[in-house]
Amino acid sequence: MENLVQVDRQTPFLMPQDLKDWLPENHIIHFIIEAVEAVSANVSFHLNKRGSGSKQFNPEMMMELLIYSYCTKRFSSYAIEKATYTDIPTMYITAMEHPDHNTINNFRKNNREAFKKVFTQLLLLAQTTGLMKKIGTISVDGTKIHANASKHKAVSYKYAKEQIEKYEKEVDEILKEAEKIDNTENDVNLPEEIAVREKRISILKNAVKQMEETQKEIYEHEKEEYERKMKEREEKSDDDNSPTDGKTKSRGKKTKEPENKVDDKAQVNFTDSESRIMKFGNSNNFEQSYNLQAAVDTDSKMIVGTYPTQKCNDKAELKNCVESVPEELEKEENVFVCADTGYFSSSLIEETEKEHPDVKVICATEREPHGKTVKQIFEKLPERLPEEKSGETMSKEKMRTRLKTQEGQKIYSKRKTSVEPVFGIIKRVMGFRQFLMRGLENIGIEWDLVTISYNVSRMYALKNLSLAKM
């Protein structure tokens, strides 16, 4: 006779069960709870302090619930609510309570500033516990994440104006034709036909207005930047005594004055008007997306700075990326910033280093083939980065000189092994490939939760790694 383990689902437990006994001692859930409890004293979560209405769930528990859910590919508030009934670690977090999807979604929407504080406090905790050292080298990069909108629901400025003209013409033609013939013999509902076209005109006009308002904001910013550069150019010209004919000598490429004109290719999406059609990597695929920026510590592989942007490329993001790193974090006396060729902008690198004297940028100036040529193998490079005079103008040649040193190449080589794998883990391991919410502010909340969850997972891995070495 077979010796089988008896399966008895009818007899109740004699004593209450402790869910903690159902989880391994080294389960990530214990680490998440400890980490959130350690930082929550310095974080102010959104609460109804009047005490009116239904009882509120503990914000620490809600934070732990979101972090664990994002770590385990649960991003929807419906999926998280369901897990409070079916998933043992989730049930352990909530102590068998069941916040509904509206409660989860409201907590997520109402705590944007708290999430930013949690992000910073977790990094400080990592430094305090030795999981992350002082920041010495960071790598910056951007990745595209799908918006909760279809690219087929987008319209360009030029096309929108053409369609407005087309529908207005159709309305005029319908009215003129109706005057010529006796419409009582035709089964045509004129008011309905006109209303359909007028509704489309109204939607398209709103889209055009939005694009024009966006362009106005861009123009005002570019004009201010242009005036600042022209003022600096004039001041430099006044200080330059080299011309002998008394004429002003201009240096460098002449700055082009911005125009307050909407580009025909400017676009707006009817589902998520703040998202943009962006190219994905080196492929020819264009999708409705957001551009997510991240600064990653090359030693610990933790995200130390992050923010979302609508811009389709990274050309203007270097300074913003550097400034997204919280000031509270401990840093080395000199911080190196690695960036790929998409970030290269002479003026922006110069401005970043001028405003942040402790920062030195190592940025590729052009795409290079993988591997080394025979010439590069035998090329003897200087050991250290070159000595540079203060106030020296940044140029491609100057940046190439930095990269053509052993120190420069060693620093830059860390970029691909730090920031790019982080995006790979977020997309493939955590499974985050599309936003659920819409609008730049809302997707910023989601991205904050993604980066917090990634950092907690990374801290957990670093802790296990250090224990294994003991």
Side-chain angles (χ1 to χ4, degrees):
M1 179 181 277
E2 298 90 343
N3 186 17
L4 302 177
V5 175
Q6 185 180 0
V7 177
D8 184 1
R9 300 188 182 93
Q10 305 303 320
T11 306
F13 292 117
L14 296 176
M15 298 291 289
Q17 291 292 303
D18 186 354
L19 285 178
K20 193 174 183 179
D21 296 336
W22 294 13
L23 297 168
E25 287 184 10
N26 66 337
H27 197 283
I28 190 173
I29 202 66
H30 303 305
F31 183 81
I32 291 172
I33 291 171
E34 288 173 7
V36 173
E37 286 178 353
V39 304
S40 59
N42 298 315
V43 181
S44 297
F45 291 100
H46 177 81
L47 285 170
N48 178 7
K49 295 184 179 179
R50 292 177 299 174
S52 57
S54 304
K55 285 187 176 180
Q56 300 173 83
F57 289 98
N58 188 310
E60 286 183 23
M61 180 273 285
M62 295 295 289
M63 189 75 240
E64 293 155 5
L65 176 62
L66 284 175
I67 291 174
Y68 179 70
S69 298
Y70 273 68
C71 285
T72 52
K73 301 184 180 182
R74 293 190 190 97
F75 311 112
S76 160
S77 55
Y78 287 94
I80 297 171
E81 178 189 358
K82 184 179 178 182
T84 65
Y85 293 92
T86 59
D87 182 68
I88 290 173
T90 306
M91 292 161 69
Y92 176 64
I93 290 174
T94 61
M96 299 292 285
E97 296 291 340
H98 308 288
D100 63 25
H101 60 274
N102 281 328
T103 302
I104 294 165
N105 205 33
N106 288 335
F107 180 83
R108 185 162 49 186
K109 281 186 175 180
N110 295 333
N111 283 283
R112 186 184 183 191
E113 293 305 315
F115 296 155
K116 290 186 179 300
K117 191 72 174 175
V118 169
F119 176 82
T120 303
Q121 290 297 315
L122 284 169
L123 291 172
L124 290 170
L125 178 66
Q127 286 190 328
T128 304
T129 54
L131 296 176
M132 184 172 74
K133 300 174 184 176
K134 287 183 180 180
I135 296 173
T137 305
I138 61 173
S139 296
V140 300
D141 206 352
T143 189
K144 309 300 188 336
I145 301 284
H146 290 275
N148 188 3
S150 169
K151 65 181 177 181
H152 302 295
K153 296 291 183 181
V155 65
S156 70
Y157 183 74
K158 182 181 178 182
Y159 183 74
K161 296 200 83 174
E162 288 173 351
Q163 290 298 105
I164 290 170
E165 189 178 341
K166 173 194 166 189
Y167 289 128
E168 285 178 342
K169 197 173 182 181
E170 285 182 5
V171 170
D172 289 339
E173 287 175 357
I174 289 171
L175 292 172
K176 286 177 183 177
E177 195 67 24
E179 290 176 0
K180 292 180 183 177
I181 62 173
D182 182 7
N183 195 50
T184 55
E185 297 177 5
N186 298 315
D187 188 19
V188 178
N189 189 336
L190 290 179
E192 185 179 321
E193 290 297 325
I194 292 171
V196 167
R197 285 159 178 79
E198 286 183 340
K199 184 179 178 182
R200 289 174 182 170
I201 291 168
S202 175
I203 292 170
L204 289 166
K205 280 186 175 179
N206 283 334
V208 167
K209 184 182 177 183
Q210 186 176 336
M211 284 184 268
E212 288 173 346
E213 287 174 352
T214 301
Q215 172 58 32
K216 186 179 178 182
E217 290 177 13
I218 293 169
Y219 170 72
E220 287 173 357
H221 173 74
E222 288 179 345
K223 187 180 178 183
E224 186 181 329
E225 197 66 16
Y226 170 78
E227 288 173 353
R228 182 187 65 80
K229 286 180 179 178
M230 292 304 293
K231 187 178 178 181
E232 286 181 1
R233 185 182 287 268
E234 286 175 12
E235 288 172 356
K236 284 181 181 179
S237 297
D238 291 340
D239 294 337
D240 187 4
N241 298 319
S242 57
T244 57
D245 56 357
K247 294 180 181 179
T248 303
K249 181 181 178 181
S250 61
R251 291 180 176 179
K253 190 177 179 181
K254 187 176 180 181
T255 307
K256 186 179 178 182
E257 187 173 355
E259 295 181 8
N260 190 12
K261 182 183 176 183
V262 183
D263 187 349
D264 286 342
K265 294 181 181 178
Q267 55 179 286
V268 69
N269 188 282
F270 295 124
T271 310
D272 183 355
S273 61
E274 295 183 28
S275 63
R276 298 289 181 267
I277 293 178
M278 299 182 184
K279 186 179 179 182
F280 269 62
N282 297 323
S283 68
N284 290 321
N285 293 334
F286 289 82
E287 299 293 341
Q288 201 72 33
S289 314
Y290 285 96
N291 184 357
L292 289 309
Q293 296 289 312
V296 175
D297 176 50
T298 57
D299 288 332
S300 64
K301 310 294 189 295
M302 290 185 65
I303 300 172
V304 294
T306 178
Y307 66 95
T309 176
Q310 300 163 294
K311 293 176 184 173
C312 299
N313 59 55
D314 304 326
K315 187 67 82 175
E317 301 305 321
L318 181 67
K319 185 168 173 282
N320 293 333
C321 238
V322 170
E323 291 174 351
S324 71
V325 180
E327 293 181 2
E328 301 95 315
L329 297 182
E330 290 187 44
K331 303 177 184 69
E332 297 287 354
E333 191 175 340
N334 293 310
V335 176
F336 293 102
V337 178
C338 303
D340 65 15
T341 183
Y343 285 87
F344 188 81
S345 166
S346 300
S347 58
L348 195 59
I349 292 172
E350 187 176 327
E351 185 181 336
T352 303
E353 294 186 343
K354 186 178 178 181
E355 292 188 19
H356 304 277
D358 59 328
V359 166
K360 179 151 284 193
V361 178
I362 308 292
C363 181
T365 58
E366 56 198 4
R367 289 186 178 276
E368 293 184 1
H370 293 287
K372 290 184 177 182
T373 63
V374 175
K375 183 182 176 181
Q376 288 172 330
I377 291 171
F378 293 98
E379 188 178 14
K380 190 170 178 64
L381 300 175
E383 287 188 16
R384 309 290 296 173
L385 289 169
E387 294 287 336
E388 296 170 354
K389 297 177 183 178
S390 59
E392 194 175 335
T393 305
M394 175 53 67
S395 64
K396 278 192 174 184
E397 193 56 43
K398 183 177 176 181
M399 186 56 71
R400 286 194 194 103
T401 306
R402 288 184 186 179
L403 283 162
K404 283 195 172 184
T405 61
Q406 293 179 35
E407 185 181 10
Q409 291 197 353
K410 184 180 178 182
I411 293 167
Y412 187 76
S413 66
K414 295 179 180 180
R415 192 192 69 82
K416 279 193 175 181
T417 58
S418 53
V419 64
E420 291 185 10
V422 168
F423 290 140
I425 290 168
I426 287 172
K427 290 182 177 181
R428 294 189 67 86
V429 180
M430 293 175 63
F432 189 80
R433 292 179 175 273
Q434 179 173 335
F435 290 104
L436 296 175
M437 294 194 279
R438 294 174 179 140
L440 188 64
E441 185 174 340
N442 286 332
I443 68 103
I445 294 171
E446 279 195 86
W447 185 242
D448 284 341
L449 284 169
V450 169
T451 53
I452 287 169
S453 302
Y454 167 82
N455 276 349
V456 171
S457 298
R458 183 60 187 163
M459 288 168 69
Y460 174 69
L462 290 169
K463 182 184 176 183
N464 287 340
L465 191 62
S466 63
L467 289 174
K469 290 179 179 178
M470 293 175 65

